[in-house]
Amino acid sequence: MLKVFKKNWLLVSLVFLLITLGMVFIYSASSYSAAVRYNDSFYFVKKQLVGFLMGLVVMLFFINFNYHKFLKLKWAVVAVSLILLVLVFIPGLGKSNYGANRWITIGGFSLQSSEVAKFGFVIFSACYLSKNYQKTKTFWGVVPIMAVGGVICLLILLEPNLSVTLCVGMVMLIMLVVGGMRAKHFLIILIPIACLVPILIIMEPYRLQRLVAFIDPWASPKEEGFQLIQSLYALGSGGLFGVGLFNSRQKYLFLPFSESDFIFSIIGEELGFVGCVLVITIYAVVIWKGVKIAINASDRLGCYLASGITSIIAVQLLINIAVVTGSIPPTGIPLPFMSAGGTSLMVFMGAVGILLNISKGEEQNLNRVNVFKKLKVKQNKKVLKGAN
Amino acid sequence: MYNNSIYSLQKRLLAVFLLIISIFFALIIRLFVLQIVKSNWLTAKAASQWTRDLPINAKRGTITDTNGATLAESYSSYDVYVRASMVTEPVKVAKLLSQVIGLNYEDTFKKVTNTTVSESLIKLQLDNTLAQKLISANLKGIMLSENNKRYYPYGDLLTQVLGFTTIDNVGQAGIELYAEKYLQGVKGYALEESDVNGVKIDNSLSTYIPAVDGCNVKLTIDVNIQQIVENALQVLCEEQKPKTATAIVMNPNTGEIVAMSSKPSFDLNNPPRNNVSELLSSVKNLSVVDVYEPGSTFKVLTTATAIEEGVTTPTEGFYDPGYRIVDGEKIKCWKLIGHGQQTMTDGLCNSCNSVFVDLALRLGTNTMYEYFEKYGFGNTLGVDFLGEASGILMNKQSAKKVDLARMGFGQAVAVSPLQLISAICSVLNGGKLYKPFFISEITDVNNNLVARTTPTVLNKTISEQTSATIREMLEAVVTKSNAINAFIPGYRVSGKTGTSQKYENGKIVPKYVSSFVGAYPANNPEYVVLVIADEPSSGNYFGSVVATPYAKLIFEGIINYKQDAPTEDVEADKLKLEKNIQVPNLVGLSLTEAVSKLSALGLQYEVAGEGEIVLEQTPPPQTHVFKNSIVILTT
């Protein structure tokens, strides 16, 4: 196991750096609000620590869990994901929060179903693609992925949780692209999704208000635009180098969810533009490492699995930063590894565990043709056929 | 050919990665715009919500009397609010508030738990000691804001002069209103860093702009003399039961108002705010804002004008048959049988209307009005008080001879008490009409002088020589007439009584204004006193009985306060007042017989009614009285 860490030292240390930075900023962002609300300024930090310890267990488990076992378990994974998503709606188990059913509570422990389900989807689609990669050129070949993804999206949408739906949808698209779907089929599924937008707005009119608020947040500074304005204030007052660690002013209850979905705003306020770029760079390296693991994976399953996991990290990061910068309409999605939220941290750490597990196969495959060697060969004007 | 090889898979993976990285760059550009380009704009907007202004009330200035005694001052009280969203122990908070302030527990609990509003008012103006109890309990959600409460140490004293403030400490009447801009001070601000709910952040920076406390206003009033006046009026009200009673003490040599009072009045610490009509009527400073027909006290001014203009001398002889006929209209003297032959000075002592009809007619309309203007009638004097009355003068062109004749003895003209006393002061002080004033000095909190009133001569009314004559004549009036009630053995007091009957709807009604104006010391007045009783209802209405004794109380009080030694022979003076005369039985006699009997005994008299036969007398026969005492004859 040490070998795995040693081999992926950069990825592992950057992930732990992100988690640590996350803890620091959770403390900074929530110490005041937690003291006001729970009389304990470490309330969120403690919860995050619990999530981290559990995440560590899950991570170690998956490092040693042969991912090929997923092939047999894929339908079980889908079933578990769907059951968790349905349980949310069962009174007594489901916990309603801010008008949405996103959590289930079992014995005092609450879990956000969609956090698990999105990885469930990745596992399923990776398994499916590894067996059926040749079918992806036909429309019907990609239907199972779209069906499972569609059902999961629908259930998450009903919670309602638009942001995670969006996230799963985008991950699905990436999986389909990586899986080799043809461009025209891509269009076939994009059009219905585009049609879905007005339906979603009709279902929950607050979404339109959010959309309008996103275009001009100052039109309703006290209502819909409030959170976005507060986020922009945080980022804006950060300037180039930030106001300094723990010196955020926006954390004094001005910016709601400053410790979870909007933690990046507090980072931007305290560390400034420089800090933001630095954090994004760390993520970019983590994602690059994920992509490399995918490319160097010993088989298609590993490649698809690593691609899916990496794309979840990337997509969530993009959506999160786009939201806090007011680049897309506000929607709540955690920043991977950093936002307060035990389930999210635990699941992402587990996912990193799977990534590390995949990377173990690389040695067996050193001589296999891969894109990097191919590129070098190309430079030598020598064309080699893929060794599949 | 479509070939889904590992190689093409990897290529697509790289393409997706590059897409993601390019979105990263887009987001970094977005961040650059927000954090660098728009930073200042966003920071400025954000900063406006990070701080909260807390107004700091300025302490209202103190009002003192001329010796520095505090008449009105402010002390701290607290407004209590509860912010339900911050309350962690609602039961405790509600219990504490209801117990300390004495409120209903259920109502308080409702407010404590009402989170639909950000703050609920619990109590305005809570005393400092109770507020400290709330502060020391240190419970979350209780908000206290400091305030200044107005306190009047003397309570029911100088009520109409001082006035009072609203519950928000804004001057509402009297000096409190007039000097508002000096007394109020300048509010300060505390700029505090706060959270979104306006709760101050611990250990945060705060900018503190201190309040500038209001200036202190020093009045010309001497609270000792004011108390003497208040007490005298109190006695007057109890004994004579007038509708209102008014008194002014003025320094004739400066125009300083030394004391001023009107009754009824109320305790300034507890104005009858629930009874608006009572509040409005008793807060009126009648001396300044009200006008009345001065009656016989006005004769002093007619005398001064006439002597100044040379139309008469103190020794000139006049004959009074009991009336004068002017333009075919019979103007009766109050003594219907007439005063007979008398000098000008006697005419003033006897208050003989006929003499003053003559004087007014001799002076003529133009001269009379010229002097009215000099005395300050028909115009405001510019006293430092709001709502000063200018008096009512008949249009000069429409004033007929008969009107002029009446003006000579103080009728058909209306002036404010303040105007009358100011004019009287001018004829006693050598002819200078001073602008009357209340405020002698305004100093700021650091005792720097902001403003000081210097005595202002508005007009030169009469010559020093005439004034000296008037002083002598007015002193004679006290010793020789019904004004004897103001006589104080050993001291020189001058004065003139006045009794005027009221007109209502153009008809004379049995309602009177009884007054007295006098000065002490008579030869070089330092204090001029005016006492007016409006509509006395005890049965008497003569100024000599209803007003003069109370003016005497004031003079005695002042002498006692100033500890002035007697300037005259007290024992000799006392003889003038000795109770060695027995009042004869006069009932049934003709008025002429009765008067000659009284004159022979050295008694003064007043006549009530218009008959020829004495029906009643006060005091009754066989009573022992002082020489020069007044016997009232009812005919």
Side-chain angles (χ1 to χ4, degrees):
Chain A
M1 198 155 81
L2 270 175
K3 228 171 102 183
V4 173
F5 285 134
K6 212 173 164 187
K7 184 170 163 221
N8 294 291
W9 66 272
L10 186 59
L11 173 64
V12 173
S13 49
L14 286 180
V15 165
F16 281 96
L17 175 65
L18 286 174
I19 294 170
T20 314
L21 269 179
M23 297 267 195
V24 171
F25 279 97
I26 288 167
Y27 175 72
S28 177
S30 72
S31 58
Y32 184 80
S33 62
V36 169
R37 270 191 285 170
Y38 303 104
N39 241 328
D40 175 9
S41 52
F42 285 95
Y43 179 84
F44 289 104
V45 178
K46 284 175 184 166
K47 284 186 84 172
Q48 188 76 347
L49 214 57
V50 171
F52 171 71
L53 293 174
M54 290 172 65
L56 216 53
V57 173
V58 177
M59 186 175 167
L60 293 174
F61 171 79
F62 278 110
I63 289 174
N64 298 307
F65 177 86
N66 185 344
Y67 63 89
H68 294 96
K69 288 180 188 166
F70 282 131
L71 286 171
K72 283 179 186 166
L73 292 171
K74 66 178 178 204
W75 287 110
V77 168
V78 171
V80 167
S81 299
L82 294 179
I83 288 167
L84 285 177
L85 287 174
V86 172
L87 283 180
V88 161
F89 298 102
I90 294 171
L93 281 171
K95 195 172 84 178
S96 185
N97 222 340
Y98 302 107
N101 301 297
R102 296 174 184 178
W103 283 267
I104 53 174
T105 32
I106 306 159
F109 179 76
S110 37
L111 183 103
Q112 200 169 349
S113 299
S114 56
E115 294 287 344
V116 178
K118 63 191 175 198
F119 284 100
F121 169 72
V122 164
I123 290 167
F124 167 80
S125 48
C127 292
Y128 176 85
L129 284 173
S130 69
K131 290 285 174 200
N132 304 295
Y133 58 90
Q134 274 145 337
K135 292 184 188 169
T136 53
K137 54 190 167 189
T138 68
F139 181 72
W140 292 108
V142 295
V143 163
I145 292 178
M146 288 196 285
V148 171
V151 171
I152 288 175
C153 280
L154 191 70
L155 285 171
I156 298 174
L157 195 59
L158 288 176
E159 285 180 358
N161 192 338
L162 188 61
S163 45
V164 179
T165 311
L166 187 69
C167 174
V168 174
M170 283 175 71
V171 169
M172 184 171 83
L173 289 180
I174 293 174
M175 290 303 276
L176 289 172
V177 170
V178 174
M181 190 177 65
R182 310 189 90 169
K184 62 178 179 185
H185 299 149
F186 196 72
L187 285 176
I188 291 171
I189 61 164
L190 266 188
I191 291 162
I193 289 172
C195 297
L196 215 57
V197 173
I199 297 168
L200 291 178
I201 287 172
I202 292 162
M203 265 170 64
E204 295 282 352
Y206 77 88
R207 288 182 181 132
L208 181 67
Q209 290 171 348
R210 281 207 191 166
L211 209 64
V212 174
F214 148 71
I215 293 159
D216 180 15
W218 275 277
S220 53
K222 297 253 180 252
E223 293 95 27
E224 287 75 28
F226 181 78
Q227 195 172 26
L228 178 54
I229 288 176
Q230 297 305 330
S231 175
L232 297 182
Y233 283 170
L235 290 169
S237 51
L240 185 59
F241 293 109
V243 295
L245 195 59
F246 303 131
N247 290 342
S248 163
R249 281 296 280 111
Q250 286 294 93
K251 68 183 175 186
Y252 289 98
L253 308 181
F254 291 105
L255 178 59
F257 302 108
S258 58
E259 76 286 344
S260 56
D261 295 344
F262 282 79
I263 197 165
F264 192 78
S265 313
I266 301 295
I267 296 173
E269 186 184 0
E270 295 190 351
L271 301 184
F273 179 67
V274 171
C276 285
V277 172
L278 211 68
V279 169
I280 291 174
T281 310
I282 294 172
Y283 274 107
V285 174
V286 167
I287 290 163
W288 172 239
K289 285 288 166 191
V291 171
K292 264 188 88 173
I293 287 173
I295 288 171
N296 292 328
S298 57
D299 54 14
R300 278 183 182 265
L301 176 62
C303 178
Y304 290 131
L305 212 45
S307 310
I309 289 166
T310 309
S311 60
I312 290 182
I313 296 171
V315 165
Q316 276 201 210
L317 180 73
L318 290 180
I319 295 179
N320 185 283
I321 296 177
V323 166
V324 301
T325 54
S327 311
I328 63 167
T331 167
I333 196 154
L335 196 62
F337 308 115
M338 295 189 87
S339 284
T343 316
S344 172
L345 181 59
M346 192 175 81
V347 170
F348 272 106
M349 287 179 77
V352 171
I354 297 175
L355 273 184
L356 294 176
N357 184 258
I358 295 166
S359 76
K360 279 183 179 177
E362 285 177 14
E363 285 86 358
Q364 305 153 16
N365 217 19
L366 275 180
N367 300 322
R368 209 194 64 188
V369 178
N370 76 26
V371 71
F372 304 114
K373 291 184 181 168
K374 199 101 180 190
L375 287 172
K376 284 181 192 161
V377 173
K378 256 190 179 172
Q379 283 173 348
N380 297 335
K381 311 250 176 195
K382 284 179 185 172
V383 181
L384 286 172
K385 279 268 170 186
N388 197 35
Chain B
M1 280 300 290
Y2 180 77
N3 180 11
N4 191 1
S5 65
I6 278 279
Y7 171 62
S8 73
L9 190 163
Q10 290 169 343
K11 266 206 312 197
R12 276 182 285 203
L13 208 48
L14 276 181
V16 171
F17 179 72
L18 287 176
L19 180 70
I20 288 168
I21 293 298
S22 56
I23 299 174
F24 274 5
F25 273 108
L27 289 177
I28 285 172
I29 290 168
R30 174 78 181 146
L31 282 168
F32 181 83
V33 169
L34 290 174
Q35 299 196 275
I36 310 295
V37 180
K38 286 189 174 177
S39 178
N40 289 344
W41 182 72
L42 285 169
T43 311
K45 290 197 90 158
S48 69
Q49 68 175 14
W50 292 339
T51 51
R52 186 166 82 118
D53 290 356
L54 281 178
I56 298 170
N57 288 323
K59 191 178 173 206
R60 194 172 172 82
T62 301
I63 304 176
T64 64
D65 85 336
T66 189
N67 304 314
T70 302
L71 300 173
E73 64 184 338
S74 287
Y75 69 94
S76 292
S77 69
Y78 291 81
D79 294 347
V80 185
Y81 299 87
V82 70
R83 192 171 282 166
S85 59
M86 284 176 61
V87 173
T88 48
E89 296 156 294
V91 176
K92 258 182 142 176
V93 169
K95 242 184 204 161
L96 178 77
L97 290 174
S98 56
Q99 279 170 5
V100 172
I101 307 173
L103 299 166
N104 177 293
Y105 174 79
E106 276 74 34
D107 295 350
T108 313
F109 185 79
K110 262 182 216 160
K111 285 181 180 175
V112 169
T113 51
N114 181 9
T115 45
T116 56
V117 292
S118 68
E119 277 182 351
S120 313
L121 176 67
I122 299 292
K123 171 89 180 148
L124 286 174
Q125 300 205 342
L126 187 68
D127 283 340
N128 196 18
T129 46
L130 294 179
Q132 291 308 323
K133 280 187 192 171
L134 295 181
I135 292 167
S136 60
N138 200 19
L139 286 172
K140 283 187 179 174
I142 300 176
M143 306 282 162
L144 292 157
S145 104
E146 195 184 341
N147 234 317
N148 292 311
K149 193 177 175 178
R150 203 69 172 150
Y151 176 63
Y152 303 89
Y154 290 94
D156 185 359
L157 183 107
L158 268 175
T159 304
Q160 297 83 1
V161 173
L162 288 178
F164 51 88
T165 66
T166 64
I167 204 151
D168 303 317
N169 276 314
V170 177
Q172 214 174 1
I175 294 293
E176 292 273 29
L177 174 61
Y178 183 83
E180 172 65 17
K181 69 172 179 178
Y182 294 106
L183 288 168
Q184 67 181 354
V186 183
K187 272 189 180 181
Y189 286 93
L191 218 60
E192 278 182 357
E193 286 197 280
S194 68
D195 74 7
V196 75
N197 299 321
V199 179
K200 184 179 184 291
I201 296 171
D202 294 338
N203 307 322
S204 62
L205 290 171
S206 53
T207 313
Y208 183 79
I209 302 162
V212 180
D213 289 348
C215 294
N216 297 326
V217 172
K218 186 174 171 182
L219 300 184
T220 55
I221 300 287
D222 184 326
V223 79
N224 299 294
I225 297 174
Q226 179 71 25
Q227 266 170 332
I228 293 162
V229 170
E230 300 265 351
N231 292 340
L233 283 194
Q234 203 56 52
V235 178
L236 187 158
C237 287
E238 278 160 24
E239 294 177 354
Q240 308 298 343
K241 299 180 174 58
K243 212 168 83 178
T244 64
T246 311
I248 308 173
V249 178
M250 192 182 256
N251 180 343
N253 304 311
T254 55
E256 288 171 292
I257 297 159
V258 179
M260 183 180 275
S261 174
S262 289
K263 299 285 172 191
S265 56
F266 54 86
D267 183 350
L268 286 172
N269 293 311
N270 192 16
R273 291 187 204 272
N274 299 329
N275 188 341
V276 176
S277 63
E278 185 196 333
L279 183 68
L280 286 178
S281 67
S282 50
V283 78
K284 251 169 73 173
N285 190 355
L286 301 174
S287 305
V288 180
V289 305
D290 216 19
V291 296
Y292 77 121
E293 270 194 356
S296 302
T297 51
F298 201 80
K299 290 171 183 166
V300 179
L301 299 173
T302 309
T303 308
T305 310
I307 293 173
E308 176 73 12
E309 285 297 304
V311 299
T312 187
T313 62
T315 49
E316 188 193 347
F318 286 83
Y319 181 76
D320 170 35
Y323 58 89
R324 281 284 189 274
I325 291 171
V326 180
D327 283 350
E329 203 168 318
K330 189 173 179 183
I331 298 174
K332 286 184 248 179
C333 183
W334 60 270
K335 186 179 176 185
L336 298 171
I337 53 170
H339 289 97
Q341 189 64 39
Q342 57 190 347
T343 62
M344 161 72 238
T345 307
D346 292 337
L348 187 63
C349 292
N350 296 333
S351 203
C352 175
N353 287 352
S354 304
V355 174
F356 295 93
V357 169
D358 291 351
L359 295 181
L361 293 178
R362 285 186 202 172
L363 287 163
T365 311
N366 282 338
T367 314
M368 280 288 272
Y369 270 77
E370 184 191 312
Y371 275 83
F372 285 162
E373 201 182 326
K374 279 187 183 173
Y375 291 134
F377 301 143
N379 263 312
T380 55
L381 294 163
V383 68
D384 43 6
F385 202 89
L386 290 174
E388 189 192 354
S390 51
I392 304 163
L393 286 185
M394 210 177 269
N395 192 321
K396 191 173 154 187
Q397 277 71 39
S398 57
K400 292 175 287 185
K401 244 182 157 179
V402 63
D403 298 319
L404 193 67
R406 283 211 172 86
M407 287 174 200
F409 54 89
Q411 287 184 7
V413 60
V415 297
S416 75
L418 186 68
Q419 283 179 314
L420 184 82
I421 196 172
S422 301
I424 296 285
C425 282
S426 83
V427 298
L428 294 176
N429 69 9
K432 291 188 263 300
L433 179 72
Y434 283 100
K435 182 200 268 193
F437 63 101
F438 288 100
I439 298 172
S440 67
E441 233 175 61
I442 297 173
T443 49
D444 68 13
V445 272
N446 302 320
N447 246 339
N448 298 319
L449 189 70
V450 174
R452 171 177 284 154
T453 317
T454 46
T456 312
V457 177
L458 296 172
N459 288 315
K460 184 83 180 132
T461 54
I462 56 171
S463 68
E464 176 58 56
Q465 198 187 345
T466 311
S467 182
T469 309
I470 297 298
R471 287 197 291 269
E472 274 169 37
M473 290 174 83
L474 208 56
E475 190 177 9
V477 173
V478 165
T479 46
K480 286 188 187 167
S481 79
N482 57 7
I484 188 72
N485 277 349
F487 186 76
I488 301 167
Y491 297 91
R492 296 177 72 175
V493 173
S494 63
K496 177 81 191 79
T497 63
T499 309
S500 50
Q501 206 164 355
K502 283 192 169 180
Y503 282 85
E504 272 177 18
N505 305 321
K507 275 186 185 167
I508 282 190
V509 289
K511 290 180 180 174
Y512 297 85
V513 180
S514 316
S515 60
F516 174 87
V517 63
Y520 165 82
N523 54 326
N524 182 21
E526 287 169 22
Y527 298 96
V528 174
V529 174
L530 173 64
V531 175
I532 302 169
D534 187 26
E535 298 186 20
S537 60
S538 63
N540 290 324
Y541 54 84
F542 297 111
S544 54
V545 180
V546 177
T548 315
Y550 310 99
K552 183 181 173 184
L553 281 180
I554 295 171
F555 285 127
E556 282 173 339
I558 291 173
I559 290 164
N560 190 35
Y561 163 57
K562 303 289 285 183
Q563 297 189 312
D564 285 351
T567 51
E568 313 303 307
D569 186 340
V570 180
E571 293 311 313
D573 271 359
K574 268 189 182 162
L575 283 178
K576 294 180 190 167
L577 294 175
E578 216 170 302
K579 266 188 185 171
N580 53 5
I581 299 164
Q582 213 179 30
V583 179
N585 188 359
L586 305 165
V587 176
L589 297 180
S590 76
L591 199 54
T592 324
E593 279 175 310
V595 167
S596 60
K597 265 192 164 185
L598 289 172
S599 300
L601 286 165
L603 291 174
Q604 302 291 337
Y605 59 93
E606 299 269 15
V607 180
E610 299 190 352
E612 293 291 326
I613 306 294
V614 177
L615 301 173
E616 255 177 62
Q617 70 176 89
T618 318
Q622 271 76 54
T623 313
H624 286 274
V625 296
F626 294 118
K627 191 183 179 203
N628 274 326
S629 286
I630 301 157
V631 177
I632 297 167
L633 305 171
T634 311
T635 58

